[in-house]
Amino acid sequence: MSDKFSRRQFAKIAGLSAAAITAPGQSVEAKPDAAPCGSRGFPAGFLWGTATSSYQVEGAVNEDGRGASIWDNFTRVAGKIEDGTNGDRANEHYHRYKDDIALIKELGCKAYRFSVAWPRVFPDGDGKPNPKGLDFYNRLIDQLLTNGIEPWLTLYHWDLPQSLQDRFGGWRSVETCKAFGDYAAYVARHLTDRVKNVFTLNESGRFVYFGYGIGIDAPGLTLSQAEVNQIRHNTALAHGLAVQAVRSSGRRGTRVGPAENIDACIPAIDTPENVRATEIALRELNAGYLNVIMEGKYTDAFLKFAGPNAPKFTDAELKIISSPIDFLGLNIYAPQHYVMASDKGAGFSLLPIPKSFPHMNSDWLRVGPETIYWVPKLAAKIWKTNALYISENGASGDDRVTADGKIFDTDRIMYLRNYLAQLERATAEAVPVRGYFLWSLMDNFEWVYGLNKRFGLYHVNFDTQVRTPKLSASFYRNVIAKNAAGV
């Protein structure tokens, strides 16, 4: 995939031009418990976890009443998936979940972030639920708890029921938002006796733009900017409806929040002027989704730039969208923009990324460890939150299996060591990051890349389904044991 369509390219996703942005940011101090001054390590009680998603690992797409998803159909369109594979089998996690949970326990992780497959629970997206689908997640959750691992549930990680796409145009329609709210209520009613933390939608910024804007993800549509902006608004509305559903149908004390691939902005040089400019950029370049969730309004700059392409909305919808959340999940991989202060237009300028900028074996995955320091720090200040989680962070690597079956993924260790050192720096400065979920537990079906890109701590032989720990698994185990980055 070219840099033009890199996995997390957000300026276009937000539908904004830096030259058109003028709105100021906001600030507030966040004061969580931090590591003692002069000490090394993360705060006591810091949550260490790992993550997967349903379509990427479960397989069993035609078993126990599961309905079709948009990714089931999309992967069958010739040329859409780099290696021609699909998620029909994936990691067979549906049948091997007990063994996979043992791998999580072996790492020392205390939390596992997984997603529920909507079409497994509601084959048509709405209507009659499928008890056998829910039973799988009951078994999964019980097994996690038996092993001392806290389940963190994601309601939507891109596998939209195909029926909703066929009948309503998927996220183009508010009917899909309503169905999502009903689905969220059903899941909350049945699972929050044991699940205490729920993510709503994963990476709206990715699945809206890539699926409905440029057509390289499911459902493969290329719509106008006005339609894309409206779809993004609809997903924000779905998030709000899900928050309300968890509040009304879940057990008391259940926490809920989004998991978003924030458009990551970093000051090119750490000066007060550049940091202030980066605050403005971070707020405005995330104005089309995350900021409206956090503030309950679209910024003036966003609406001005969007003009006739701006989403149509009501005050009642904005109230739903901004339903109070308990935490903010941030998926942070790579720097998107280095920012300098400017005396023109928006008050900031975005610097070009040189072709020589270092990256992992995915072109989009630039290595910028400072991203995981600055983004949570500024997000907490801008949006007044005192509970942040890194809901995804990790790296694909050039994983080679040696003759004796070992995988010495020192490239991934380099990436993780440097990112975690910067995250440790943030928590030492009282940035309210409460936990970290490494993406991913094991190699899996990596969307348009198929099985070609490997992000796992465990290598998977997709012919035999044998899981083999990489050297990075030992590294992460050591980080967790020490509660420190291990630099």
Side-chain angles (χ1 to χ4, degrees), residues 351-398:
L351 304 185
I353 303 292
K355 290 184 179 180
S356 59
F357 201 99
H359 60 81
M360 301 300 289
N361 79 332
S362 298
D363 289 344
W364 62 268
L365 216 174
R366 304 182 188 106
V367 181
E370 64 276 15
T371 310
I372 210 167
Y373 167 78
W374 282 108
V375 172
K377 182 182 178 77
L378 297 179
K381 186 177 182 182
I382 295 165
W383 291 309
K384 305 178 176 66
T385 180
N386 65 358
L388 292 166
Y389 291 87
I390 306 303
S391 38
E392 285 185 27
N393 170 252
S396 59
D398 186 25

mmCIF file of all heavy atoms in Angstrom, residues 351-398:
data_model
loop_
_atom_site.group_PDB
_atom_site.id
_atom_site.type_symbol
_atom_site.label_atom_id
_atom_site.label_comp_id
_atom_site.label_asym_id
_atom_site.label_seq_id
_atom_site.Cartn_x
_atom_site.Cartn_y
_atom_site.Cartn_z
ATOM 1 N N LEU A 351 4.654 20.122 9.047
ATOM 2 C CA LEU A 351 5.875 19.942 8.283
ATOM 3 C C LEU A 351 5.794 18.697 7.393
ATOM 4 O O LEU A 351 5.171 17.703 7.770
ATOM 5 C CB LEU A 351 7.064 19.802 9.231
ATOM 6 C CG LEU A 351 7.262 20.942 10.236
ATOM 7 C CD1 LEU A 351 8.558 20.718 11.021
ATOM 8 C CD2 LEU A 351 7.279 22.301 9.546
ATOM 9 N N PRO A 352 6.418 18.736 6.239
ATOM 10 C CA PRO A 352 6.437 17.533 5.388
ATOM 11 C C PRO A 352 7.261 16.426 6.036
ATOM 12 O O PRO A 352 8.242 16.690 6.735
ATOM 13 C CB PRO A 352 7.083 18.035 4.092
ATOM 14 C CG PRO A 352 7.900 19.225 4.510
ATOM 15 C CD PRO A 352 7.150 19.867 5.642
ATOM 16 N N ILE A 353 6.857 15.190 5.817
ATOM 17 C CA ILE A 353 7.589 14.033 6.330
ATOM 18 C C ILE A 353 8.601 13.591 5.268
ATOM 19 O O ILE A 353 8.214 13.228 4.151
ATOM 20 C CB ILE A 353 6.643 12.863 6.664
ATOM 21 C CG1 ILE A 353 5.581 13.297 7.677
ATOM 22 C CG2 ILE A 353 7.438 11.665 7.170
ATOM 23 C CD1 ILE A 353 6.104 13.610 9.053
ATOM 24 N N PRO A 354 9.892 13.610 5.577
ATOM 25 C CA PRO A 354 10.889 13.216 4.571
ATOM 26 C C PRO A 354 10.741 11.748 4.169
ATOM 27 O O PRO A 354 10.321 10.908 4.971
ATOM 28 C CB PRO A 354 12.223 13.446 5.294
ATOM 29 C CG PRO A 354 11.903 14.331 6.461
ATOM 30 C CD PRO A 354 10.492 14.022 6.848
ATOM 31 N N LYS A 355 11.109 11.447 2.950
ATOM 32 C CA LYS A 355 11.058 10.061 2.488
ATOM 33 C C LYS A 355 11.991 9.162 3.288
ATOM 34 O O LYS A 355 11.774 7.957 3.394
ATOM 35 C CB LYS A 355 11.426 9.987 1.004
ATOM 36 C CG LYS A 355 10.373 10.571 0.079
ATOM 37 C CD LYS A 355 10.760 10.375 -1.378
ATOM 38 C CE LYS A 355 9.687 10.930 -2.306
ATOM 39 N NZ LYS A 355 10.055 10.749 -3.741
ATOM 40 N N SER A 356 13.021 9.748 3.862
ATOM 41 C CA SER A 356 13.999 8.957 4.617
ATOM 42 C C SER A 356 13.567 8.716 6.060
ATOM 43 O O SER A 356 14.319 8.099 6.829
ATOM 44 C CB SER A 356 15.350 9.678 4.622
ATOM 45 O OG SER A 356 15.227 10.976 5.206
ATOM 46 N N PHE A 357 12.381 9.179 6.446
ATOM 47 C CA PHE A 357 11.930 8.992 7.824
ATOM 48 C C PHE A 357 11.879 7.493 8.131
ATOM 49 O O PHE A 357 11.333 6.706 7.358
ATOM 50 C CB PHE A 357 10.546 9.608 8.032
ATOM 51 C CG PHE A 357 10.222 9.912 9.467
ATOM 52 C CD1 PHE A 357 10.350 11.193 9.971
ATOM 53 C CD2 PHE A 357 9.816 8.906 10.336
ATOM 54 C CE1 PHE A 357 10.064 11.480 11.304
ATOM 55 C CE2 PHE A 357 9.539 9.169 11.663
ATOM 56 C CZ PHE A 357 9.670 10.466 12.155
ATOM 57 N N PRO A 358 12.445 7.054 9.261
ATOM 58 C CA PRO A 358 12.495 5.609 9.548
ATOM 59 C C PRO A 358 11.111 5.020 9.774
ATOM 60 O O PRO A 358 10.227 5.668 10.331
ATOM 61 C CB PRO A 358 13.335 5.534 10.837
ATOM 62 C CG PRO A 358 13.191 6.884 11.463
ATOM 63 C CD PRO A 358 13.069 7.853 10.328
ATOM 64 N N HIS A 359 10.941 3.784 9.327
ATOM 65 C CA HIS A 359 9.665 3.110 9.516
ATOM 66 C C HIS A 359 9.895 1.611 9.665
ATOM 67 O O HIS A 359 10.962 1.087 9.353
ATOM 68 C CB HIS A 359 8.716 3.397 8.344
ATOM 69 C CG HIS A 359 9.243 2.955 7.006
ATOM 70 N ND1 HIS A 359 9.185 1.655 6.555
ATOM 71 C CD2 HIS A 359 9.853 3.661 6.018
ATOM 72 C CE1 HIS A 359 9.714 1.572 5.356
ATOM 73 N NE2 HIS A 359 10.145 2.776 5.000
ATOM 74 N N MET A 360 8.872 0.930 10.173
ATOM 75 C CA MET A 360 8.918 -0.521 10.277
ATOM 76 C C MET A 360 8.648 -1.115 8.897
ATOM 77 O O MET A 360 8.661 -0.389 7.895
ATOM 78 C CB MET A 360 7.909 -0.987 11.317
ATOM 79 C CG MET A 360 8.131 -0.410 12.705
ATOM 80 S SD MET A 360 9.742 -0.803 13.429
ATOM 81 C CE MET A 360 9.554 -2.551 13.786
ATOM 82 N N ASN A 361 8.356 -2.409 8.808
ATOM 83 C CA ASN A 361 8.200 -2.974 7.472
ATOM 84 C C ASN A 361 6.826 -2.720 6.868
ATOM 85 O O ASN A 361 6.508 -3.232 5.803
ATOM 86 C CB ASN A 361 8.535 -4.478 7.456
ATOM 87 C CG ASN A 361 7.418 -5.349 7.983
ATOM 88 O OD1 ASN A 361 6.615 -4.934 8.809
ATOM 89 N ND2 ASN A 361 7.384 -6.594 7.514
ATOM 90 N N SER A 362 6.018 -1.904 7.537
ATOM 91 C CA SER A 362 4.836 -1.293 6.938
ATOM 92 C C SER A 362 5.191 0.170 6.686
ATOM 93 O O SER A 362 5.622 0.879 7.603
ATOM 94 C CB SER A 362 3.633 -1.375 7.884
ATOM 95 O OG SER A 362 3.287 -2.709 8.169
ATOM 96 N N ASP A 363 5.019 0.640 5.453
ATOM 97 C CA ASP A 363 5.468 1.985 5.106
ATOM 98 C C ASP A 363 4.832 3.066 5.976
ATOM 99 O O ASP A 363 5.460 4.075 6.294
ATOM 100 C CB ASP A 363 5.164 2.279 3.633
ATOM 101 C CG ASP A 363 6.046 1.485 2.690
ATOM 102 O OD1 ASP A 363 7.073 0.950 3.152
ATOM 103 O OD2 ASP A 363 5.710 1.394 1.490
ATOM 104 N N TRP A 364 3.560 2.851 6.356
ATOM 105 C CA TRP A 364 2.853 3.861 7.138
ATOM 106 C C TRP A 364 3.349 3.934 8.581
ATOM 107 O O TRP A 364 3.132 4.941 9.258
ATOM 108 C CB TRP A 364 1.352 3.572 7.145
ATOM 109 C CG TRP A 364 0.970 2.256 7.776
ATOM 110 C CD1 TRP A 364 0.807 1.060 7.150
ATOM 111 C CD2 TRP A 364 0.742 2.007 9.171
ATOM 112 N NE1 TRP A 364 0.484 0.080 8.058
ATOM 113 C CE2 TRP A 364 0.439 0.635 9.299
ATOM 114 C CE3 TRP A 364 0.748 2.811 10.313
ATOM 115 C CZ2 TRP A 364 0.152 0.048 10.537
ATOM 116 C CZ3 TRP A 364 0.468 2.232 11.542
ATOM 117 C CH2 TRP A 364 0.166 0.867 11.647
ATOM 118 N N LEU A 365 4.041 2.886 9.052
ATOM 119 C CA LEU A 365 4.372 2.775 10.466
ATOM 120 C C LEU A 365 5.727 3.428 10.750
ATOM 121 O O LEU A 365 6.750 2.771 10.944
ATOM 122 C CB LEU A 365 4.372 1.309 10.907
ATOM 123 C CG LEU A 365 3.855 1.045 12.322
ATOM 124 C CD1 LEU A 365 3.774 -0.443 12.597
ATOM 125 C CD2 LEU A 365 4.607 1.758 13.404
ATOM 126 N N ARG A 366 5.697 4.773 10.735
ATOM 127 C CA ARG A 366 6.903 5.537 11.051
ATOM 128 C C ARG A 366 7.293 5.316 12.514
ATOM 129 O O ARG A 366 6.440 5.182 13.375
ATOM 130 C CB ARG A 366 6.664 7.024 10.796
ATOM 131 C CG ARG A 366 6.203 7.350 9.390
ATOM 132 C CD ARG A 366 6.029 8.848 9.214
ATOM 133 N NE ARG A 366 5.415 9.165 7.939
ATOM 134 C CZ ARG A 366 4.158 9.562 7.787
ATOM 135 N NH1 ARG A 366 3.387 9.722 8.857
ATOM 136 N NH2 ARG A 366 3.666 9.820 6.593
ATOM 137 N N VAL A 367 8.576 5.324 12.774
ATOM 138 C CA VAL A 367 9.061 5.131 14.139
ATOM 139 C C VAL A 367 9.276 6.504 14.775
ATOM 140 O O VAL A 367 10.281 7.173 14.531
ATOM 141 C CB VAL A 367 10.371 4.314 14.157
ATOM 142 C CG1 VAL A 367 10.841 4.109 15.594
ATOM 143 C CG2 VAL A 367 10.162 2.982 13.457
ATOM 144 N N GLY A 368 8.322 6.905 15.595
ATOM 145 C CA GLY A 368 8.385 8.175 16.307
ATOM 146 C C GLY A 368 7.985 7.978 17.753
ATOM 147 O O GLY A 368 6.832 8.258 18.120
ATOM 148 N N PRO A 369 8.871 7.465 18.604
ATOM 149 C CA PRO A 369 8.503 7.140 19.987
ATOM 150 C C PRO A 369 7.886 8.298 20.755
ATOM 151 O O PRO A 369 7.038 8.096 21.631
ATOM 152 C CB PRO A 369 9.835 6.703 20.607
ATOM 153 C CG PRO A 369 10.679 6.278 19.461
ATOM 154 C CD PRO A 369 10.292 7.163 18.329
ATOM 155 N N GLU A 370 8.300 9.530 20.423
ATOM 156 C CA GLU A 370 7.771 10.700 21.137
ATOM 157 C C GLU A 370 6.269 10.862 20.951
ATOM 158 O O GLU A 370 5.612 11.565 21.724
ATOM 159 C CB GLU A 370 8.502 11.962 20.675
ATOM 160 C CG GLU A 370 8.312 12.332 19.216
ATOM 161 C CD GLU A 370 9.247 11.616 18.248
ATOM 162 O OE1 GLU A 370 9.878 10.613 18.640
ATOM 163 O OE2 GLU A 370 9.340 12.071 17.093
ATOM 164 N N THR A 371 5.708 10.183 19.970
ATOM 165 C CA THR A 371 4.266 10.258 19.729
ATOM 166 C C THR A 371 3.480 9.822 20.954
ATOM 167 O O THR A 371 2.472 10.431 21.327
ATOM 168 C CB THR A 371 3.881 9.363 18.533
ATOM 169 O OG1 THR A 371 4.739 9.644 17.433
ATOM 170 C CG2 THR A 371 2.435 9.607 18.113
ATOM 171 N N ILE A 372 3.931 8.759 21.603
ATOM 172 C CA ILE A 372 3.180 8.188 22.726
ATOM 173 C C ILE A 372 3.420 8.976 24.023
ATOM 174 O O ILE A 372 2.769 8.715 25.038
ATOM 175 C CB ILE A 372 3.519 6.697 22.879
ATOM 176 C CG1 ILE A 372 2.323 5.923 23.462
ATOM 177 C CG2 ILE A 372 4.777 6.483 23.704
ATOM 178 C CD1 ILE A 372 2.457 4.424 23.358
ATOM 179 N N TYR A 373 4.317 9.947 23.978
ATOM 180 C CA TYR A 373 4.467 10.904 25.079
ATOM 181 C C TYR A 373 3.571 12.115 24.849
ATOM 182 O O TYR A 373 2.760 12.479 25.700
ATOM 183 C CB TYR A 373 5.926 11.345 25.202
ATOM 184 C CG TYR A 373 6.125 12.559 26.089
ATOM 185 C CD1 TYR A 373 6.109 12.437 27.478
ATOM 186 C CD2 TYR A 373 6.322 13.827 25.540
ATOM 187 C CE1 TYR A 373 6.293 13.558 28.296
ATOM 188 C CE2 TYR A 373 6.504 14.939 26.342
ATOM 189 C CZ TYR A 373 6.484 14.806 27.714
ATOM 190 O OH TYR A 373 6.644 15.903 28.515
ATOM 191 N N TRP A 374 3.700 12.740 23.690
ATOM 192 C CA TRP A 374 3.013 14.004 23.441
ATOM 193 C C TRP A 374 1.515 13.849 23.270
ATOM 194 O O TRP A 374 0.737 14.672 23.785
ATOM 195 C CB TRP A 374 3.605 14.689 22.213
ATOM 196 C CG TRP A 374 4.897 15.375 22.485
ATOM 197 C CD1 TRP A 374 6.147 14.993 22.071
ATOM 198 C CD2 TRP A 374 5.081 16.560 23.263
ATOM 199 N NE1 TRP A 374 7.092 15.863 22.539
ATOM 200 C CE2 TRP A 374 6.475 16.843 23.272
ATOM 201 C CE3 TRP A 374 4.217 17.413 23.947
ATOM 202 C CZ2 TRP A 374 7.003 17.947 23.938
ATOM 203 C CZ3 TRP A 374 4.744 18.507 24.610
ATOM 204 C CH2 TRP A 374 6.119 18.772 24.616
ATOM 205 N N VAL A 375 1.069 12.838 22.556
ATOM 206 C CA VAL A 375 -0.360 12.744 22.262
ATOM 207 C C VAL A 375 -1.201 12.547 23.520
ATOM 208 O O VAL A 375 -2.174 13.282 23.742
ATOM 209 C CB VAL A 375 -0.630 11.666 21.192
ATOM 210 C CG1 VAL A 375 -2.129 11.441 21.023
ATOM 211 C CG2 VAL A 375 -0.021 12.096 19.857
ATOM 212 N N PRO A 376 -0.881 11.593 24.407
ATOM 213 C CA PRO A 376 -1.662 11.505 25.648
ATOM 214 C C PRO A 376 -1.548 12.766 26.505
ATOM 215 O O PRO A 376 -2.534 13.198 27.124
ATOM 216 C CB PRO A 376 -1.065 10.292 26.360
ATOM 217 C CG PRO A 376 -0.405 9.497 25.298
ATOM 218 C CD PRO A 376 0.096 10.496 24.306
ATOM 219 N N LYS A 377 -0.370 13.345 26.564
ATOM 220 C CA LYS A 377 -0.151 14.552 27.367
ATOM 221 C C LYS A 377 -1.064 15.685 26.897
ATOM 222 O O LYS A 377 -1.741 16.341 27.701
ATOM 223 C CB LYS A 377 1.316 14.974 27.257
ATOM 224 C CG LYS A 377 1.716 16.197 28.077
ATOM 225 C CD LYS A 377 3.175 16.520 27.838
ATOM 226 C CE LYS A 377 3.638 17.757 28.586
ATOM 227 N NZ LYS A 377 3.863 17.472 30.017
ATOM 228 N N LEU A 378 -1.104 15.921 25.590
ATOM 229 C CA LEU A 378 -1.914 17.009 25.065
ATOM 230 C C LEU A 378 -3.396 16.654 25.055
ATOM 231 O O LEU A 378 -4.251 17.508 25.299
ATOM 232 C CB LEU A 378 -1.440 17.373 23.657
ATOM 233 C CG LEU A 378 -0.006 17.910 23.573
ATOM 234 C CD1 LEU A 378 0.367 18.223 22.133
ATOM 235 C CD2 LEU A 378 0.186 19.132 24.459
ATOM 236 N N ALA A 379 -3.722 15.390 24.792
ATOM 237 C CA ALA A 379 -5.131 14.972 24.790
ATOM 238 C C ALA A 379 -5.758 15.169 26.164
ATOM 239 O O ALA A 379 -6.892 15.635 26.292
ATOM 240 C CB ALA A 379 -5.256 13.521 24.348
ATOM 241 N N ALA A 380 -5.029 14.793 27.204
ATOM 242 C CA ALA A 380 -5.548 14.965 28.567
ATOM 243 C C ALA A 380 -5.797 16.432 28.868
ATOM 244 O O ALA A 380 -6.769 16.790 29.546
ATOM 245 C CB ALA A 380 -4.565 14.375 29.576
ATOM 246 N N LYS A 381 -4.925 17.283 28.381
ATOM 247 C CA LYS A 381 -5.058 18.720 28.627
ATOM 248 C C LYS A 381 -6.208 19.329 27.841
ATOM 249 O O LYS A 381 -7.017 20.093 28.381
ATOM 250 C CB LYS A 381 -3.742 19.410 28.263
ATOM 251 C CG LYS A 381 -3.701 20.890 28.604
ATOM 252 C CD LYS A 381 -2.334 21.469 28.263
ATOM 253 C CE LYS A 381 -2.268 22.940 28.655
ATOM 254 N NZ LYS A 381 -0.965 23.550 28.284
ATOM 255 N N ILE A 382 -6.309 18.962 26.568
ATOM 256 C CA ILE A 382 -7.332 19.546 25.703
ATOM 257 C C ILE A 382 -8.731 19.110 26.116
ATOM 258 O O ILE A 382 -9.660 19.924 26.199
ATOM 259 C CB ILE A 382 -7.080 19.147 24.227
ATOM 260 C CG1 ILE A 382 -5.773 19.745 23.716
ATOM 261 C CG2 ILE A 382 -8.250 19.579 23.335
ATOM 262 C CD1 ILE A 382 -5.277 19.112 22.427
ATOM 263 N N TRP A 383 -8.883 17.813 26.405
ATOM 264 C CA TRP A 383 -10.228 17.257 26.590
ATOM 265 C C TRP A 383 -10.571 16.933 28.036
ATOM 266 O O TRP A 383 -11.565 16.260 28.304
ATOM 267 C CB TRP A 383 -10.398 16.031 25.692
ATOM 268 C CG TRP A 383 -10.437 16.427 24.244
ATOM 269 C CD1 TRP A 383 -11.220 17.383 23.667
ATOM 270 C CD2 TRP A 383 -9.638 15.874 23.187
ATOM 271 N NE1 TRP A 383 -10.970 17.471 22.314
ATOM 272 C CE2 TRP A 383 -9.995 16.558 21.984
ATOM 273 C CE3 TRP A 383 -8.669 14.886 23.122
ATOM 274 C CZ2 TRP A 383 -9.416 16.266 20.759
ATOM 275 C CZ3 TRP A 383 -8.087 14.598 21.900
ATOM 276 C CH2 TRP A 383 -8.467 15.284 20.736
ATOM 277 N N LYS A 384 -9.741 17.404 28.947
ATOM 278 C CA LYS A 384 -10.102 17.354 30.366
ATOM 279 C C LYS A 384 -10.416 15.931 30.845
ATOM 280 O O LYS A 384 -11.387 15.712 31.569
ATOM 281 C CB LYS A 384 -11.308 18.260 30.648
ATOM 282 C CG LYS A 384 -11.146 19.710 30.210
ATOM 283 C CD LYS A 384 -12.421 20.502 30.484
ATOM 284 C CE LYS A 384 -12.274 21.972 30.154
ATOM 285 N NZ LYS A 384 -12.088 22.208 28.715
ATOM 286 N N THR A 385 -9.619 14.998 30.454
ATOM 287 C CA THR A 385 -9.846 13.618 30.887
ATOM 288 C C THR A 385 -8.766 13.188 31.874
ATOM 289 O O THR A 385 -7.605 13.579 31.739
ATOM 290 C CB THR A 385 -9.861 12.641 29.691
ATOM 291 O OG1 THR A 385 -10.080 11.317 30.163
ATOM 292 C CG2 THR A 385 -8.556 12.688 28.909
ATOM 293 N N ASN A 386 -9.158 12.408 32.852
ATOM 294 C CA ASN A 386 -8.187 11.909 33.827
ATOM 295 C C ASN A 386 -8.023 10.400 33.757
ATOM 296 O O ASN A 386 -7.500 9.783 34.683
ATOM 297 C CB ASN A 386 -8.574 12.330 35.245
ATOM 298 C CG ASN A 386 -9.880 11.709 35.697
ATOM 299 O OD1 ASN A 386 -10.522 10.981 34.945
ATOM 300 N ND2 ASN A 386 -10.275 11.996 36.918
ATOM 301 N N ALA A 387 -8.495 9.796 32.656
ATOM 302 C CA ALA A 387 -8.328 8.347 32.471
ATOM 303 C C ALA A 387 -8.125 8.045 30.991
ATOM 304 O O ALA A 387 -9.067 8.052 30.200
ATOM 305 C CB ALA A 387 -9.537 7.585 33.007
ATOM 306 N N LEU A 388 -6.878 7.801 30.636
ATOM 307 C CA LEU A 388 -6.509 7.441 29.270
ATOM 308 C C LEU A 388 -5.970 6.017 29.253
ATOM 309 O O LEU A 388 -5.317 5.577 30.211
ATOM 310 C CB LEU A 388 -5.424 8.371 28.732
ATOM 311 C CG LEU A 388 -5.769 9.833 28.462
ATOM 312 C CD1 LEU A 388 -4.495 10.634 28.282
ATOM 313 C CD2 LEU A 388 -6.641 9.950 27.227
ATOM 314 N N TYR A 389 -6.240 5.319 28.165
ATOM 315 C CA TYR A 389 -5.632 4.008 27.941
ATOM 316 C C TYR A 389 -5.053 3.987 26.527
ATOM 317 O O TYR A 389 -5.672 4.509 25.588
ATOM 318 C CB TYR A 389 -6.657 2.883 28.088
ATOM 319 C CG TYR A 389 -7.119 2.694 29.514
ATOM 320 C CD1 TYR A 389 -8.178 3.434 30.025
ATOM 321 C CD2 TYR A 389 -6.459 1.803 30.364
ATOM 322 C CE1 TYR A 389 -8.586 3.289 31.340
ATOM 323 C CE2 TYR A 389 -6.858 1.651 31.677
ATOM 324 C CZ TYR A 389 -7.922 2.396 32.166
ATOM 325 O OH TYR A 389 -8.314 2.253 33.479
ATOM 326 N N ILE A 390 -3.881 3.416 26.382
ATOM 327 C CA ILE A 390 -3.344 3.151 25.048
ATOM 328 C C ILE A 390 -4.019 1.861 24.598
ATOM 329 O O ILE A 390 -3.616 0.761 24.983
ATOM 330 C CB ILE A 390 -1.813 3.024 25.064
ATOM 331 C CG1 ILE A 390 -1.171 4.265 25.707
ATOM 332 C CG2 ILE A 390 -1.306 2.814 23.637
ATOM 333 C CD1 ILE A 390 -1.541 5.583 25.049
ATOM 334 N N SER A 391 -5.078 2.002 23.815
ATOM 335 C CA SER A 391 -5.890 0.851 23.442
ATOM 336 C C SER A 391 -5.253 0.006 22.344
ATOM 337 O O SER A 391 -5.636 -1.153 22.162
ATOM 338 C CB SER A 391 -7.302 1.297 23.041
ATOM 339 O OG SER A 391 -7.297 2.509 22.327
ATOM 340 N N GLU A 392 -4.287 0.584 21.618
ATOM 341 C CA GLU A 392 -3.452 -0.190 20.694
ATOM 342 C C GLU A 392 -2.119 0.503 20.543
ATOM 343 O O GLU A 392 -2.042 1.733 20.461
ATOM 344 C CB GLU A 392 -4.079 -0.310 19.293
ATOM 345 C CG GLU A 392 -5.236 -1.258 19.164
ATOM 346 C CD GLU A 392 -5.710 -1.384 17.711
ATOM 347 O OE1 GLU A 392 -4.892 -1.169 16.784
ATOM 348 O OE2 GLU A 392 -6.894 -1.684 17.502
ATOM 349 N N ASN A 393 -1.066 -0.288 20.498
ATOM 350 C CA ASN A 393 0.260 0.152 20.078
ATOM 351 C C ASN A 393 1.069 -1.104 19.791
ATOM 352 O O ASN A 393 0.986 -2.086 20.519
ATOM 353 C CB ASN A 393 0.959 0.986 21.150
ATOM 354 C CG ASN A 393 2.429 1.249 20.818
ATOM 355 O OD1 ASN A 393 3.323 0.687 21.436
ATOM 356 N ND2 ASN A 393 2.673 2.092 19.832
ATOM 357 N N GLY A 394 1.820 -1.068 18.722
ATOM 358 C CA GLY A 394 2.629 -2.218 18.365
ATOM 359 C C GLY A 394 3.249 -2.017 17.000
ATOM 360 O O GLY A 394 3.168 -0.927 16.421
ATOM 361 N N ALA A 395 3.869 -3.043 16.467
ATOM 362 C CA ALA A 395 4.600 -2.888 15.217
ATOM 363 C C ALA A 395 4.633 -4.188 14.428
ATOM 364 O O ALA A 395 4.780 -5.274 14.987
ATOM 365 C CB ALA A 395 6.028 -2.432 15.500
ATOM 366 N N SER A 396 4.523 -4.042 13.121
ATOM 367 C CA SER A 396 4.820 -5.171 12.244
ATOM 368 C C SER A 396 6.330 -5.275 12.108
ATOM 369 O O SER A 396 7.052 -4.278 12.215
ATOM 370 C CB SER A 396 4.185 -4.957 10.869
ATOM 371 O OG SER A 396 4.675 -3.763 10.276
ATOM 372 N N GLY A 397 6.803 -6.488 11.889
ATOM 373 C CA GLY A 397 8.244 -6.696 11.782
ATOM 374 C C GLY A 397 8.593 -7.680 10.692
ATOM 375 O O GLY A 397 7.733 -8.398 10.175
ATOM 376 N N ASP A 398 9.853 -7.703 10.366
ATOM 377 C CA ASP A 398 10.348 -8.628 9.342
ATOM 378 C C ASP A 398 10.694 -9.946 10.025
ATOM 379 O O ASP A 398 11.854 -10.317 10.191
ATOM 380 C CB ASP A 398 11.578 -8.021 8.660
ATOM 381 C CG ASP A 398 12.051 -8.862 7.494
ATOM 382 O OD1 ASP A 398 11.224 -9.599 6.922
ATOM 383 O OD2 ASP A 398 13.242 -8.777 7.157
#
